[in-house]
């Protein structure tokens, strides 16, 4: 009970994941880098389509409605909407995205 191997409380029958209230400086830097990568992809696609003389409605709508990383407020960069939260905003770092990886078998 009282030693180096004492039991810890568990969350939902598993490990207790300690999620800090705020993002750390490196986490914020990585998030900004991800947002800039999205901006780069959008501009690359837009330039490639412009060279061919093409355009898509969805890309034009994205450019009109979505701000770039530099235009975004800090609240929008580091939080996201969640209807279950008290103030309807949830930290980006506490959102776990599980991705199913195709291991050569057909996905259903």
């Amino acid at each position: 009970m009282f030693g180096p191997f004492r039991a810890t409380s568990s969350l939902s029958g598993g490990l207790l994941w300690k999620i800090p209230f705020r993002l750390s400086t490196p986490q914020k830097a990585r998030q900004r880098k991800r947002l800039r990568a999205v901006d780069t992809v959008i501009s690359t696609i837009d330039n490639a389509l412009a060279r061919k003389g093409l355009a898509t409605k969805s890309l034009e709508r994205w450019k009109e409605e979505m701000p770039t990383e530099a235009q975004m407020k800090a609240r929008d960069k580091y939080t996201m909407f969640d209807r279950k939260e008290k103030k309807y905003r949830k930290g980006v770092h506490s959102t776990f995205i599980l991705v199913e990886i195709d291991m050569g078998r057909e996905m259903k």
Side-chain angles (χ1 to χ4, degrees):
M1 287 278 175
F2 300 108
F5 304 109
R6 66 174 174 248
T8 59
S9 60
S10 62
L11 179 66
S12 301
L15 294 172
L16 175 63
W17 289 358
K18 297 178 180 175
I19 302 167
F21 178 71
R22 290 185 177 89
L23 283 169
S24 67
T25 304
Q27 285 175 317
K28 285 184 179 182
R30 284 192 299 271
Q31 178 66 13
R32 287 191 303 270
K33 186 177 177 182
R34 284 186 215 107
L35 292 170
R36 283 192 298 267
V38 170
D39 294 339
T40 304
V41 169
I42 295 296
S43 65
T44 303
I45 292 171
D46 186 40
N47 292 338
L49 288 174
R51 272 188 260 131
K52 299 253 184 189
L54 301 172
T56 60
K57 289 181 184 178
S58 58
L59 187 64
E60 295 302 319
R61 183 177 175 198
W62 177 276
K63 290 190 324 185
E64 289 173 7
E65 294 178 5
M66 299 301 289
T68 61
E69 185 267 333
Q71 297 169 336
M72 291 176 82
K73 297 177 184 175
R75 179 178 185 223
D76 294 330
K77 285 183 193 180
Y78 308 124
T79 62
M80 61 187 300
F81 176 79
D82 186 13
R83 65 187 173 119
K84 296 175 287 197
E85 290 294 317
K86 189 173 185 178
K87 292 187 177 181
Y88 301 106
R89 299 297 274 185
K90 182 176 185 178
V92 175
H93 64 296
S94 64
T95 307
F96 301 104
I97 301 173
L98 300 175
V99 179
E100 187 174 330
I101 300 172
D102 184 16
M103 301 291 254
R105 58 182 180 260
E106 191 173 308
M107 299 186 67
K108 296 180 182 179

